[in-house]
């Protein structure tokens, strides 16, 4: 499960959460105060992987976007015309 660890009012956290929403995927949000977080906020937890640096998070987002586009291209609503009967699905 993907978890976005973020501050309540933070523009960087807001931007990252907006990207996750645009990708239309399930994720959890965990709100923290800076003092209680063991990593700099915001950061992403994806299973056992943790992405804390801006470059790591950007690379993770790009890879996830690419993978989702590919998966969705395979499972899209497809329709065809049957070559013998001419019926449309």
């Amino acid at each position: 499960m993907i978890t976005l660890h973020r501050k309540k009012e933070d523009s960087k956290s807001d931007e990252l959460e907006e990207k996750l929403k645009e990708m239309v995927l399930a994720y959890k949000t965990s709100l923290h105060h800076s003092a209680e977080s063991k990593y700099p906020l915001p950061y992403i937890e994806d299973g056992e992987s943790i992405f804390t640096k801006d470059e790591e998070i950007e690379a993770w987002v790009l890879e996830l976007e690419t993978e989702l586009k590919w998966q969705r291209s395979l499972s899209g609503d497809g329709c065809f015309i049957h070559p013998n009967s001419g019926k449309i699905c």
Side-chain angles (χ1 to χ4, degrees), residues 28-74:
K28 294 188 308 186
T29 302
S30 180
L31 295 175
H32 298 271
H33 298 290
S34 295
E36 69 182 31
S37 177
K38 54 184 166 180
Y39 300 107
L41 296 169
Y43 69 93
I44 295 286
E45 185 177 354
D46 184 3
E48 294 184 17
S49 299
I50 295 177
F51 304 93
T52 59
K53 297 180 181 161
D54 290 343
E55 303 83 30
E56 292 176 334
I57 293 171
E58 287 176 26
W60 176 83
V61 167
L62 182 60
E63 183 178 340
L64 185 58
E65 284 176 327
T66 302
E67 185 177 319
L68 286 172
K69 284 179 187 176
W70 180 77
Q71 287 178 358
R72 290 174 180 162
S73 74
L74 298 176

Side-chain angles (χ1 to χ4, degrees), residues 1 6 11 21 26 30 38-39 42 62 76 84:
M1 172 56 96
R6 61 164 295 165
S11 61
K21 287 179 182 179
S30 180
K38 54 184 166 180
Y39 300 107
L62 182 60
N84 297 331

